[in-house]
Amino acid sequence: MPIHVEIVTQEKLILDEPDADMVVLPGSEGVLGVLPHHTPLLTTLDFGELRVKKGGTEEVFAVYGGIVEIRPDKVVVLADTVERAEEIDLELAEAARRRAEELMRQGPPPDELAIIAQELRRAELAVKIRRRIQSRAGTVRIREAGESES
Amino acid sequence: MPNVRDIKKRIKSVKNIGQVTRALEAVSASLARKAQVQAFASRPYSQKAWEVLVNVASQSNSTNGAPLHPLLVVRPEVKTIAILLISGDRGLAGTYNANIIRVATEFVQAHCAQNGCGVRWITVGRKGRDTLLRMREQVVAEFSNLPASPSIQTVIPIARTVIDEFLSGEADQVFIAYTDFINTLTQKPVVVNLLPLQPFQTTDQPVMEYVKREPTVTTEGREYLYEPSAAAILDEVLPRFTELQIYQAILESLASEYAARMVAMRNASENAEALAGDLQLSFNKARQMAITSEILDIVGGVEALSGQAERIVADMQREFMMTEHGAR
């Protein structure tokens, strides 16, 4: 039995995949690998990598918080923010990371510390996921950003 | 009768106005469509978040009866209310701004008649803010100059303000006044409950029109595991859901504003056309009149001159006769 995976944000539906084999989620209590017939579960999401496996391919997303509803036949991700790994702009993410690092080194004002720390985590994650995707591009077919959907 | 040149000037300016209104009509039409599409795109999240919310809330209700999250607590006595009023930044939208402000203030009056009368306003859009300030109402926060197609990021500070108002106890209940987009010709100003969230009262929620009411989906009696806890999940879902409700209300209002502006501008363009037609007629008349009077002048001049000439000739003849007589 396949799992129906939906990823939605407040602004739009990001992914609707009716026949996934497995989903790997960055749960706040640890990484979850969800196979069909999983017990019903509601959990919050951490920043992390979300993978949807189907056949030999997998789609990778960077998720920045949210919740997920898991049912035996369905996984619904309500993400705060989510990016397709292929759509991450590596240069922009690197630049954001460097900027955040620089700010951290300078010792930011306490009221901005949390925001900058989060920004840093976010940028680091984006860079990490994008890099991994690129290094794997030989084995798994990855759609480049800008390339058409077909 | 105004002169020809003045009328010509007016025709030109009326036609110019017509062009501007026609352009604004086209722009508003496309923006209205965009806002509609955007509101529609956030529908899946509303649906899912609502399901989760009802699910968790019903489970918490069945265990100990006490709501799990402060945003779900209905206060027994409502002393002060807060109203989030969503209006436009600009006019030229027919009765759009006037309608929503009127409906909101009427709601307050009706509410005041029943309960005490503490009202704190939070406004989105310049028009609402200005009107309320003129009425010397208490405006505790205002947001204006929103982008033409706002993202959820734009809405987060607004939602935070609203949630703070409620949680700090400044307001015991929060309402949202926005304009529901029905179609291009009809928009309905409404005031509905925003906080506390009432998962079992499915009417009167801005998002409800986006949520399909499927009893099978929510009440299957599925026992969920919560990680880390139901409260933590509500902590995540409730603020997001509130943001989303405000976001959708703003998009609905924007679609309404643009639609109202489009209709107003279409009327204006038609009026400009009719006015230009009328002016053209009076221009023709005035021109005709001017020509006629010029001809009359010439004819009259000739007439007068020719009469004068005859008189002069007659005088000269008479004079001549008299001198002839005198000479004899």
Side-chain angles (χ1 to χ4, degrees):
Chain A
M1 187 177 83
I3 335 175
H4 186 167
V5 184
E6 280 181 0
I7 302 177
V8 294
T9 66
Q10 284 161 310
E11 283 174 346
K12 60 176 193 247
L13 181 71
I14 302 290
L15 174 82
D16 186 1
E17 171 57 72
D19 305 302
D21 297 322
M22 181 181 177
V23 194
V24 180
L25 301 157
S28 55
E29 308 289 287
V31 174
L32 289 163
V34 180
L35 292 166
H37 303 293
H38 196 284
T39 185
L41 171 72
L42 267 169
T43 182
T44 49
L45 291 176
D46 201 356
F47 283 25
E49 184 180 23
L50 188 155
R51 283 178 289 162
V52 180
K53 295 188 184 176
K54 181 190 176 186
T57 63
E58 72 176 19
E59 286 194 81
V60 183
F61 299 84
V63 182
Y64 312 101
I67 58 167
V68 59
E69 182 193 13
I70 299 166
R71 300 187 214 154
D73 57 344
K74 199 167 180 187
V75 172
V76 182
V77 179
L78 304 177
D80 290 351
T81 331
V82 65
E83 274 180 303
R84 257 177 213 277
E86 311 91 79
E87 283 166 6
I88 294 173
D89 186 327
L90 191 56
E91 271 171 42
L92 276 183
E94 283 275 22
R97 187 177 61 117
R98 273 195 300 273
R99 209 165 42 238
E101 269 174 355
E102 188 55 37
L103 283 169
M104 285 303 265
R105 250 199 306 281
Q106 284 167 6
D111 51 331
E112 284 175 30
L113 182 66
I115 301 170
I116 295 170
Q118 200 181 35
E119 195 49 49
L120 180 61
R121 258 182 86 201
R122 199 190 150 119
E124 274 172 349
L125 177 69
V127 170
K128 196 176 89 187
I129 291 177
R130 177 70 210 192
R131 283 254 169 79
R132 185 146 69 229
I133 280 289
Q134 258 167 358
S135 66
R136 251 195 339 207
T139 50
V140 184
R141 164 106 180 98
I142 299 297
R143 237 191 0 250
E144 278 299 324
E147 206 177 307
S148 72
E149 288 272 329
S150 58
Chain B
M1 199 71 205
N3 75 41
V4 178
R5 194 138 34 99
D6 286 346
I7 298 181
K8 209 166 183 182
K9 234 190 252 167
R10 282 195 65 193
I11 292 179
K12 219 173 155 192
S13 67
V14 166
K15 280 194 173 156
N16 264 337
I17 293 171
Q19 251 165 14
V20 171
T21 54
R22 208 161 302 128
L24 195 46
E25 179 192 334
V27 170
S28 306
S30 87
L31 286 175
R33 214 168 12 252
K34 226 166 133 193
Q36 260 314 86
V37 170
Q38 223 184 325
F40 205 74
S42 62
R43 194 175 160 164
Y45 192 100
S46 316
Q47 173 80 38
K48 303 296 171 211
W50 182 254
E51 283 172 25
V52 170
L53 183 60
V54 170
N55 199 302
V56 181
S58 68
Q59 220 134 16
S60 66
N61 261 32
S62 60
T63 48
N64 51 19
L68 268 176
H69 196 278
L71 288 177
L72 294 171
V73 177
V74 180
R75 309 215 175 129
E77 197 188 356
V78 178
K79 277 189 250 107
T80 312
I81 58 170
I83 297 188
L84 177 63
L85 173 68
I86 297 170
S87 66
D89 276 333
R90 266 160 298 197
L92 292 182
T95 53
Y96 168 76
N97 285 310
N99 274 347
I100 184 62
I101 294 167
R102 196 198 65 237
V103 166
T105 45
E106 277 173 8
F107 173 82
V108 167
Q109 271 159 16
H111 184 86
C112 278
Q114 282 178 3
N115 316 313
C117 206
V119 181
R120 297 164 65 85
W121 293 88
I122 299 160
T123 63
V124 176
R126 274 212 305 274
K127 288 285 167 183
R129 177 196 68 191
D130 293 349
T131 312
L132 290 175
L133 288 178
R134 233 174 288 129
M135 291 160 69
R136 306 199 175 285
E137 293 283 348
Q138 191 186 9
V139 178
V140 292
E142 65 100 6
F143 301 87
S144 45
N145 288 329
L146 295 193
S149 45
S151 68
I152 192 84
Q153 256 73 35
T154 331
V155 174
I156 288 173
I158 304 173
R160 186 144 313 147
T161 310
V162 168
I163 292 173
D164 282 350
E165 275 290 305
F166 180 73
L167 290 183
S168 67
E170 296 284 0
D172 298 312
Q173 195 171 6
V174 185
F175 293 91
I176 182 167
Y178 71 102
T179 311
D180 195 12
F181 179 91
I182 295 164
N183 57 44
T184 315
L185 292 174
T186 327
Q187 298 93 34
K188 196 167 146 238
V190 286
V191 181
V192 294
N193 175 61
L194 187 63
L195 292 173
L197 279 165
Q198 292 161 20
F200 304 103
Q201 192 186 323
T202 49
T203 51
D204 279 9
Q205 296 274 355
V207 159
M208 287 334 287
E209 108 182 51
Y210 294 101
V211 178
K212 273 182 285 171
R213 260 155 259 179
E214 278 178 40
T216 48
V217 177
T218 49
T219 50
E220 278 171 30
R222 244 186 271 117
E223 283 292 319
Y224 278 89
L225 292 174
Y226 298 115
E227 253 178 44
S229 65
I233 290 176
L234 284 178
D235 247 352
E236 170 76 26
V237 175
L238 291 177
R240 296 280 166 279
F241 194 70
T242 309
E243 279 162 18
L244 194 66
Q245 285 193 310
I246 296 170
Y247 176 63
Q248 284 182 334
I250 287 177
L251 288 176
E252 287 277 334
S253 295
L254 274 180
S256 301
E257 182 185 343
Y258 293 133
R261 182 164 298 133
M262 189 187 91
V263 172
M265 288 301 114
R266 181 178 299 158
N267 288 339
S269 305
E270 278 162 13
N271 278 347
E273 238 162 74
L275 193 56
D278 284 354
L279 282 171
Q280 187 68 48
L281 269 186
S282 36
F283 169 78
N284 290 348
K285 266 192 207 153
R287 193 182 57 127
Q288 199 66 54
M289 202 92 97
I291 294 168
T292 312
S293 71
E294 254 168 57
I295 292 174
L296 273 180
D297 273 359
I298 294 166
V299 171
V302 170
E303 199 95 319
L305 275 180
S306 69
Q308 224 172 356
E310 272 164 33
R311 231 176 304 122
I312 290 168
V313 171
D315 283 353
M316 280 168 72
Q317 272 178 343
R318 210 173 317 126
E319 225 165 275
F320 177 72
M321 300 280 268
M322 273 162 63
T323 46
E324 284 249 299
H325 279 288
R328 271 182 201 157

